[in-house]
Amino acid sequence: MSLSLPGGPVAHSKMAVGAPSASALQRTRRPMVTGTSVLGIKYAGGVMLASDTLCSYGSMAKFKDARRITAIGGRESFDATSGAPLPPSHPTLLGGGGEYSDYQAIVDMLRSDATAEYCADDGHFQSPEETWSYLRAVMYQRRNKMNPLWNDLIVAGCDPTTKVPFLGSVDKIGTAYTDDVMATGFGSYIAVPIMRERFRADMEEGEARALLEDCMRVLFYRDCRALNRIVIAKATADGGCLVSEPYELETSWDAKSFVSDKAGLGTDGGW
């Protein structure tokens, strides 16, 4: 007498070989390696972004040199005297918070599109606003497929025709808007009020950078997923673009709220 599952051994064998696995179709249900806030602000003659270089694995500060601002595309340019190629003018700056691998996939996608435009050699390239509109459609389509790209993105640059600075945001479900100041992650709660209070349309580049550094410093104090090692990037109306190397902000932990006795327990302001 042999033992078998209901339906006999042949039916069971067919089910094991031919039936699709329950895990064959998978979706990213939550981000794993994540970056936090990206800040953006317009100033007289350009637009500027800032982010830190930390990516956390859950609650562990694991990767401390993750660049989350990238310059993409732009119009090819050459030196007027020697004819040597120069860095592209009017590129698009893309900053991203959230799942870092998804951000890398978006950057690769946009670079592939920029390469295709370059190979077409028709003189056209995507402006920052066109890139922002394209990403809105991409993020919304992925959300409708129940397989979102887990990022909040900031797109910045200057229009090559009008020279007007552009700053727009897209989140993982395709919600998009433009503004003079914006932030992703925890920065939308802490940094945006500071930037709105101090923003002026005629701000100089140095004032905009100082404001972003102040906001990144506050985020380092208050956001446990933030780091004081940051990157600043700018795009100017004349087509210039610069993404800085990472550098560390000076910080101070002497504030009264950081060192005062808590609840009479003889402890400082930390946990």
Side-chain angles (χ1 to χ4, degrees):
M1 177 178 177
S2 63
L3 297 177
S4 63
L5 295 174
V10 175
H12 174 62
S13 176
K14 288 181 178 180
M15 181 180 69
V17 175
S21 169
S23 62
L25 190 62
Q26 296 183 354
R27 295 288 185 263
T28 302
R29 303 199 313 185
R30 61 187 179 93
M32 299 297 292
V33 178
T34 59
T36 182
S37 307
V38 179
L39 313 183
I41 188 171
K42 294 180 183 179
Y43 64 92
V47 62
M48 192 174 294
L49 300 183
S51 77
D52 62 32
T53 61
L54 177 66
C55 274
S56 301
Y57 181 71
S59 61
M60 179 172 64
K62 187 171 180 65
F63 304 103
K64 299 183 180 180
D65 191 27
R67 314 295 175 89
R68 296 188 291 113
I69 299 177
T70 309
I72 300 170
R75 176 181 293 156
E76 59 178 329
S77 57
F78 302 91
D79 185 85
T81 303
S82 64
L86 298 173
S89 64
H90 296 286
T92 296
L93 292 174
L94 178 69
E99 171 60 45
Y100 192 60
S101 63
D102 284 351
Y103 173 74
Q104 291 174 312
I106 292 170
V107 169
D108 288 344
M109 176 187 66
L110 293 178
R111 282 178 170 165
S112 178
D113 292 345
T115 300
E117 288 184 340
Y118 175 80
C119 292
D121 197 23
D122 58 1
H124 177 268
F125 67 98
Q126 281 190 355
S127 69
E129 186 170 1
E130 289 170 337
T131 301
W132 168 76
S133 182
Y134 172 63
L135 286 174
R136 180 207 56 77
V138 168
M139 303 298 269
Y140 184 66
Q141 188 266 352
R142 289 291 296 261
R143 174 253 190 179
N144 286 342
K145 295 294 184 181
M146 302 300 172
N147 187 23
L149 295 164
W150 288 77
N151 296 107
D152 293 329
L153 305 172
I154 291 183
V155 181
C158 291
D159 188 277
T161 303
T162 64
K163 314 299 182 185
V164 175
F166 175 83
L167 186 62
S169 175
V170 186
D171 69 9
K172 66 179 181 294
I173 62 173
T175 303
Y177 69 96
T178 63
D179 204 347
D180 294 327
V181 299
M182 59 180 51
T184 70
F186 207 43
S188 60
Y189 300 98
I190 292 182
V192 167
I194 300 173
M195 290 193 289
R196 284 176 175 168
E197 181 180 359
R198 294 171 54 181
F199 172 77
R200 302 190 326 274
D202 61 348
M203 291 182 70
E204 297 296 329
E205 179 183 322
E207 294 178 292
R209 175 168 180 165
L211 176 53
L212 289 181
E213 288 182 345
D214 287 346
C215 290
M216 295 302 296
R217 188 176 291 110
V218 171
L219 286 169
F220 175 58
Y221 292 149
R222 298 299 183 184
D223 183 0
C224 62
R225 302 290 184 268
L227 191 66
N228 66 328
R229 188 171 186 265
I230 71 167
V231 168
I232 296 282
K234 67 174 182 178
T236 57
D238 60 5
C241 178
L242 175 66
V243 180
S244 75
E245 288 298 311
Y247 64 96
E248 292 190 5
L249 295 173
E250 292 185 3
T251 59
S252 172
W253 297 93
D254 297 332
K256 184 177 180 181
S257 60
F258 291 149
V259 299
S260 61
D261 185 18
K262 295 297 180 181
L265 299 178
T267 60
D268 62 18
W271 292 103

